[in-house]
Structure formats: structure tokens, C-alpha cells
């Protein structure tokens, strides 16, 4: 009887003393996963959805090398690459020694309960003001990240994982960003007015830009030359 | 009629002023090509100034032969009407000035035939000028800058847009645009020919044609709603830049360009019809006036 009471007491003690994994541990595990990747070269297609930009789907190659080098290149033709797209590199977000981590609870995304962490940069001069990451606690991958910067507005990344989940690399990234209203300098073009009904300017303002990248394949840890970046 | 046309073409080819147009086009194109080779990214920065914080663009790839030709045509097709007027404005008044018109009309050729031949000669000159422009602005630019996807910077209503056309979808648009430009410039030739009938020297019709084109262009682009609604549709200058319609590529619901498509083909077709109607009307008036004209010189 004594042993039974001791066993139950011990079980209850550990149950109370060991809550679900803390957010630092989850971030640490996600970081370990991503840190397996020293470099990669990924090919994919980028679809840009910005009100003033009528551009085709681009075949792109993404090059990454530790610690922080990332480059998006168009394989063929002219491409408009959103400048904030470099933030698709998650490594910089998961360097816990550069941020103060605040547990922001949980949130359900696509029927998966995510752990939410707010990351405040320790460096006062950092361009990033605040990052919020949504982590899948069972796979230790970041599924969503919102980054607010001083200079370039707010970026949002939504990532979907597949074949390369073991490395923490997504199959699909949807990257949302703020765009300014595009205005051509007056008087530089004489345009053909075809008489069609034009959109009202109000419809064009306050639109967010979006770039959707679907990766076909990754070549991981095979080496990427420095001259690419 | 054929031999009359040959004689007319021979006369045009013997005039030094004919070559001024070709030399002017060559000079303008070469200056543009040099300027863009030396510092094309400044122009690109100007066009992208409001979005260069948000996007990266390989400017070297963007400034290619197709893009260059579009920029050059954008500038040149405003000035080419002057060069067309130089020849067409001289067609009848030049003969009157030299005192050869009355002599010419003593030959067994009807006045209508003579006028049609003069018009045909002006049309051939216009086409030759455009072919030279194609060689200099398109093919030479392709050789110097290479080819790649083409960017079009455009204002549509109050909206500015950037369109991207795939490299393999561009060349047919240029052929169509040059064809359209030939018809648009033929309107200028027909106008200059009509004015030429009334004058005894070449300067008057040439300057009058240029003035009409300038005034009508200003009215077409002034952007006053009442003028845009009531006057602009009736001015031929509103349709001179219709060649650009071939570069306004159609897009799908997601805003992605559809290769081989045009945004508004009916508008281009309508513009072509209006320009051809102008040619027919101007030429008809010219024939009617010339047939009844008392030739004194």
C-alpha cells in the first residue's frame, strides 16, 4: 500500500512539474532540424500576384548557404523578385541568442494546433521589430511567420511541408508583402487609349502583394559556390 | 500607271531631302542605343522609382533589344509624321513650284491617275522609312542588346502597370505594330498630299501638316474630360499610337499574361478602320479638288 501511494504521488508530481514542451525547447528542436542544412539549391515556380504587375509564372532557383546567404534567381527571362523574399530563410529567425522569446500560446491553423512564439530582437538597431512564428509542435517546423520591419513593412510567410519536412524545408511558400501604389512618372509615355472602362484608383490602393513559390526539388548539402550570392 | 509610279519613285530618290529622313532616323536610333548602352539603368530606375524598394529586377536583362525598340518607336513615331510630310507635302506643290505641273498634265494621264501615283509614291516612301526603322531600331538593337522578355510600362486610366511579354511572343507584335504604323503614317501622307494641292511651294503644306499633327496630338492628349469625350474620338491623332495596342498583352484572372493574346483587339481594329476611313476621305477630297483645280503653274 505504501509503495502504491508513493508511486501515485510520484506520478502526480511529474505530471504537474512537467507541462507540455516549453516554447524555447520547441524552437530549439526546430532550429536543430533546420541546422542540418548547410546549403541547398531548390528549383521551383514563382507566381507573383501584385495589382500593377502583369508578369508570367517564373521558373526560379533558390540558393542558400549558411549562415545567412540566400539568393533567388530566375532561370530564364526577366523576373521581379520581391526584396523581402530573402526572409524565406528561417535560419535567421531561429537563432535564439538574437531574440527574446515570448510564449504567445496556441493557435489552430489548418486543423493543427500551433505553438505561437513572439521573437523580439535583442539588437536595438535591427531592421526586424517583431516576428511571430507559428510552429507545428509535433514536426518542429515553422508553418507561418509574420515579420514586422522598420523599413519594409510587414511580411507574412505561410509554409506547407512535404517531402523535405525532415530538413525543415517547405514544398510551398506563400509570401505576402506590402506594396506601394505604382505610379509612372508623368509625361514619359503616350499611351493608346482603347476606350475601355478603367479601374477606379481606390480599387488599386492598399493591396497586398503575394508571391507563391512551389518547389519541385531540393539539392541539400551538395555545396553552393559563393559567387552565386 | 506602273511606269508613272517608277518615274515618281525615281524623282523621289533623286531629291536630297528624301535621305534627310533616313539620316535623321539613323541618328536618333544610334543616339538612343549609345545612351542606353552607356547608362540604361538610369532610365529603368526612373520607370521603377516608386517600386524599387519592393522589387529586385535584373536591369541588364530588362534592357534588351525588344525593349529598346519600343522605347525608340515611342519617341520616333511622334517625329516621323514630319518626315513623311517632307515628301508627301512636296508631291504636287513641288511640281507647281518648278513649273512642271502644267506640263505634266498635258501628258495622256488623267489627273486622278497622277494623284493616285503621287499618293502611292508617298506610301512607298512611308513603308521604306518604316522598314529602315525596323532595321535600325529593332534588328540593330537586337544585335547590340540581345533578346529577352519585354517589359512595357503603361498608364491605363489612372492606373500604372508593368506588363511582361515572353521573348518568343514579341516579334509578331512588332510586325503587326509596323503594319499599323504604316497605315497611321499614310494618313499623314494623305493629309500632306491634300494640302500640297492648294500650294505653289512645298514649305506651306509641309509646315501646315506638321502644325495640324502637333495641334491634334495636343488636343488628343490634353486629358480634359469634355474634349476626351466629344473631340478626341474624331481626331486621327488619337489613333496614331494604336500600334501600342499590340503590346498590351491580355491577362487571365490572376493577372498573368496570356501568350499570343491582345488585351483589346476590337479597339485596335476600330482604330485601323478609322485610320483607313481617314485615308479614303482625304484621298477622295484630294482627287475631287485636283480634278477641278485650275492649274496655272
Amino acid at each position: 500500500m505504501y509503495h502504491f501511494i508513493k508511486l501515485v504521488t510520484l506520478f502526480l508530481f511529474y505530471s504537474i512539474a512537467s507541462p507540455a514542451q516549453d516554447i524555447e525547447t520547441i524552437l530549439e528542436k526546430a532550429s536543430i532540424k533546420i541546422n542540418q542544412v548547410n546549403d541547398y539549391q531548390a528549383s521551383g515556380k514563382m507566381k507573383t500576384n501584385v495589382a500593377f504587375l502583369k508578369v508570367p509564372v517564373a521558373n526560379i532557383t533558390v540558393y542558400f548557404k549558411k549562415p545567412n546567404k540566400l539568393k533567388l534567381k530566375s532561370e530564364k527571362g526577366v523576373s521581379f523578385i520581391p526584396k523581402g523574399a530573402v526572409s524565406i530563410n528561417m535560419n535567421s529567425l531561429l537563432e535564439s541568442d538574437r531574440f527574446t522569446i515570448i510564449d504567445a500560446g496556441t493557435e489552430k491553423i489548418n486543423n493543427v494546433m500551433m505553438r505561437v512564439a513572439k521573437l523580439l530582437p535583442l539588437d536595438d538597431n535591427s531592421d526586424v521589430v517583431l516576428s511571430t512564428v507559428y510552429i507545428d509542435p509535433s514536426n518542429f517546423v515553422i508553418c507561418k511567420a509574420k515579420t514586422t520591419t522598420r523599413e519594409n513593412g510587414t511580411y507574412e510567410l505561410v509554409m506547407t511541408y512535404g517531402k523535405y519536412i525532415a530538413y525543415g524545408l517547405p514544398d510551398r511558400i506563400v509570401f505576402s508583402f506590402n506594396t506601394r501604389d505604382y505610379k509612372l512618372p508623368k509625361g514619359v509615355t503616350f499611351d493608346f487609349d482603347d476606350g475601355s472602362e478603367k479601374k477606379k484608383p481606390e480599387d488599386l490602393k492598399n493591396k497586398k502583394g503575394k508571391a507563391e513559390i512551389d518547389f519541385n526539388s531540393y539539392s541539400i548539402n551538395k555545396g553552393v559556390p559563393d559567387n552565386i550570392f | 500607271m506602273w511606269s508613272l509610279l517608277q518615274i515618281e519613285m525615281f524623282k523621289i530618290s533623286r531629291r536630297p531631302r528624301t535621305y534627310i529622313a533616313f539620316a535623321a532616323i539613323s541618328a536618333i536610333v544610334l543616339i538612343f542605343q549609345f545612351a542606353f548602352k552607356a547608362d540604361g539603368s538610369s532610365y529603368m530606375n526612373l520607370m521603377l522609382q516608386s517600386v524599387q524598394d519592393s522589387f529586385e529586377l535584373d536591369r541588364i536583362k530588362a534592357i534588351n533589344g525588344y525593349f529598346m525598340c519600343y522605347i525608340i518607336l515611342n519617341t520616333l513615331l511622334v517625329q516621323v509624321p514630319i518626315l513623311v510630310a517632307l515628301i508627301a507635302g512636296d508631291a504636287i506643290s513641288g511640281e507647281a513650284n518648278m513649273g512642271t505641273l502644267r506640263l505634266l498634265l498635258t501628258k495622256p494621264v488623267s489627273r486622278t491617275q497622277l494623284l493616285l501615283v503621287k499618293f502611292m509614291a508617298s506610301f512607298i516612301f512611308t513603308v521604306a522609312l518604316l522598314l529602315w526603322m525596323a532595321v535600325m531600331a529593332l534588328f540593330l538593337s537586337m544585335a547590340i542588346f540581345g533578346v529577352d522578355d519585354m517589359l512595357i510600362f503603361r498608364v491605363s486610366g489612372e492606373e500604372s502597370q508593368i506588363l511582361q511579354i515572353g521573348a518568343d511572343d514579341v516579334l509578331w507584335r512588332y510586325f503587326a505594330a509596323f503594319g499599323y504604323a504604316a497605315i497611321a503614317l499614310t494618313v499623314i501622307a494623305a493629309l500632306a498630299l491634300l494640302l500640297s494641292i492648294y500650294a505653289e511651294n512645298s514649305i506651306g503644306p509641309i509646315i501646315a501638316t506638321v502644325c495640324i499633327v502637333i495641334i491634334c496630338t495636343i488636343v488628343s492628349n490634353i486629358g480634359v474630360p469634355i474634349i476626351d469625350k466629344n473631340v478626341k474620338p474624331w481626331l486621327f491623332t488619337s489613333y496614331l499610337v494604336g500600334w501600342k495596342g499590340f503590346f498590351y498583352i491580355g491577362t487571365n484572372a490572376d493577372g498573368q499574361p496570356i501568350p499570343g493574346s491582345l488585351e483589346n483587339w476590337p479597339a485596335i481594329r476600330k482604330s485601323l478602320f478609322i485610320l483607313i476611313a481617314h485615308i479614303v476621305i482625304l484621298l477622295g477630297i484630294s482627287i475631287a479638288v485636283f480634278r477641278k483645280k485650275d492649274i496655272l503653274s
Side-chain angles (χ1 to χ4, degrees):
Chain A
M1 187 62 189
Y2 169 77
H3 286 291
F4 177 73
I5 291 166
K6 195 176 163 185
L7 210 64
V8 169
T9 312
L10 273 172
F11 175 75
L12 286 172
F13 174 78
Y14 279 110
S15 300
I16 294 160
S18 313
Q21 299 177 85
D22 62 69
I23 196 73
E24 282 90 354
T25 311
I26 293 172
L27 276 168
E28 180 71 32
K29 285 184 178 172
S31 178
I32 289 167
K33 200 170 215 181
I34 285 180
N35 274 321
Q36 297 173 84
V37 181
N38 294 317
D39 57 71
Y40 69 76
Q41 180 180 330
S43 60
K45 288 182 185 298
M46 184 172 76
K47 185 174 150 186
T48 310
N49 195 344
V50 179
F52 62 81
L53 216 50
K54 312 290 180 193
V55 296
V57 173
N59 290 317
I60 57 155
T61 307
V62 180
Y63 300 93
F64 166 76
K65 194 169 190 174
K66 262 184 178 175
N68 241 337
K69 289 179 179 168
L70 191 122
K71 182 89 182 171
L72 271 81
K73 276 190 177 176
S74 171
E75 281 174 23
K76 189 178 152 248
V78 177
S79 279
F80 284 86
I81 308 280
K83 278 196 173 166
V86 288
S87 67
I88 63 172
N89 168 27
M90 286 291 117
N91 288 52
S92 55
L93 273 183
L94 294 172
E95 287 173 15
S96 55
D97 56 327
R98 290 174 54 199
F99 296 96
T100 302
I101 302 163
I102 300 166
D103 191 343
T106 57
E107 197 175 311
K108 214 172 198 177
I109 298 175
N110 295 333
N111 289 325
V112 178
M113 194 57 82
M114 301 285 171
R115 291 294 300 270
V116 185
K118 290 196 183 288
L119 311 175
L120 294 163
L122 295 172
D123 182 2
D124 289 342
N125 299 319
S126 165
D127 183 44
V128 175
V129 176
L130 172 71
S131 295
T132 308
V133 289
Y134 299 74
I135 308 166
D136 177 349
S138 49
N139 291 308
F140 303 108
V141 286
I142 296 176
C143 292
K144 188 174 164 183
K146 274 187 202 170
T147 304
T148 305
T149 63
R150 284 180 210 277
E151 300 287 335
N152 300 310
T154 301
Y155 303 124
E156 187 177 304
L157 289 160
V158 176
M159 282 152 292
T160 312
Y161 294 86
K163 277 189 284 182
Y164 300 94
I165 194 166
Y167 292 97
L169 295 172
D171 281 8
R172 178 178 165 81
I173 299 177
V174 178
F175 171 65
S176 307
F177 51 96
N178 296 329
T179 55
R180 287 188 195 168
D181 190 21
Y182 176 57
K183 278 276 171 217
L184 269 174
K186 278 193 189 263
V188 293
T189 56
F190 270 119
D191 285 289
F192 173 49
D193 181 6
D194 58 18
S196 60
E197 202 175 310
K198 307 292 186 262
K199 281 184 189 174
K200 287 177 188 167
E202 296 84 54
D203 300 339
L204 306 164
K205 282 183 182 165
N206 304 319
K207 279 205 170 180
K208 273 207 148 198
K210 200 188 264 186
E212 295 168 33
I213 306 173
D214 286 291
F215 292 106
N216 310 321
S217 64
Y218 281 92
S219 169
I220 302 164
N221 295 338
K222 300 264 170 75
V224 174
D226 280 324
N227 60 2
I228 282 180
F229 300 97
Chain B
M1 192 124 160
W2 172 242
S3 52
L4 208 59
L5 183 63
Q6 281 180 309
I7 293 165
E8 207 54 49
M9 291 311 299
F10 177 75
K11 281 197 276 185
I12 289 177
S13 70
R14 298 293 291 174
R15 278 186 212 132
R17 77 171 63 171
T18 304
Y19 301 100
I20 292 173
F22 290 91
I25 284 173
S26 306
I28 294 168
V29 171
L30 289 172
I31 289 166
F32 262 90
Q33 286 165 341
F34 172 75
F36 272 77
K37 195 73 184 168
D39 188 24
S41 51
S42 295
Y43 179 84
M44 212 41 111
N45 289 342
L46 173 76
M47 302 306 273
L48 295 169
Q49 62 184 355
S50 62
V51 289
Q52 57 190 350
D53 292 343
S54 312
F55 292 94
E56 264 178 40
L57 174 73
D58 186 343
R59 285 161 169 74
I60 306 290
K61 272 184 176 181
I63 301 169
N64 55 59
Y66 292 146
F67 178 75
M68 276 306 301
C69 184
Y70 189 82
I71 298 295
I72 294 168
L73 291 191
N74 211 10
T75 314
L76 264 186
L77 287 180
V78 178
Q79 282 116 31
V80 169
I82 301 167
L83 304 176
V84 171
L86 270 179
I87 297 302
D90 183 57
I92 302 293
S93 58
E95 300 278 1
N97 191 32
M98 287 189 292
T100 52
L101 187 58
R102 194 148 49 157
L103 181 70
L104 196 61
L105 292 173
T106 58
K107 301 288 174 196
V109 179
S110 73
R111 288 189 181 195
T112 306
Q113 270 183 323
L114 182 71
L115 202 81
L116 284 175
V117 162
K118 293 276 186 193
F119 172 73
M120 281 297 294
S122 302
F123 174 72
I124 291 168
F125 170 77
T126 304
V127 171
L129 212 55
L130 282 167
L131 285 174
W132 184 241
M133 273 172 70
V135 169
M136 291 297 292
L138 180 60
F139 296 115
L140 187 60
S141 294
M142 283 164 73
I144 295 171
F145 295 91
V147 292
D148 214 311
D149 293 353
M150 183 178 171
L151 295 180
I152 304 289
F153 298 95
R154 170 201 185 187
V155 177
S156 174
E158 292 192 41
E159 181 191 10
S160 297
Q161 290 179 342
I162 302 171
L163 310 176
Q164 185 176 335
I165 307 173
D168 49 2
D169 190 28
V170 176
L171 216 48
W172 73 269
R173 294 175 192 273
Y174 270 116
F175 293 135
F178 276 110
Y180 184 101
I183 291 167
L185 291 173
T186 306
V187 178
I188 313 285
L191 174 67
L193 188 68
L194 172 62
L195 296 173
S196 175
I197 296 168
Y198 291 102
E200 300 276 305
N201 66 67
S202 310
I203 304 298
I206 292 169
I207 291 176
T209 307
V210 171
C211 288
I212 290 170
V213 171
I214 290 171
I215 292 165
C216 291
T217 304
I218 290 169
V219 175
S220 297
N221 293 285
I222 202 159
V224 176
I226 194 163
I227 294 175
D228 282 356
K229 198 178 172 189
N230 300 305
V231 183
K232 193 177 169 182
W234 301 99
L235 299 176
F236 68 92
T237 44
S238 307
Y239 307 98
L240 290 184
V241 288
W243 61 272
K244 288 188 172 186
F246 290 102
F247 296 93
Y248 298 162
I249 189 168
T251 53
N252 61 20
D254 289 338
Q256 270 127 34
I258 303 163
S261 70
L262 294 172
E263 186 189 68
N264 197 345
W265 164 241
I268 301 170
R269 199 175 49 200
K270 183 186 153 203
S271 302
L272 274 172
F273 175 76
I274 291 169
L275 291 172
I276 291 168
H278 270 87
I279 295 169
V280 172
I281 292 165
L282 288 168
L283 197 58
I285 297 170
S286 300
I287 291 169
V289 170
F290 191 56
R291 278 165 66 109
K292 289 181 180 170
K293 188 176 165 68
D294 193 8
I295 309 291
L296 302 169
S297 55

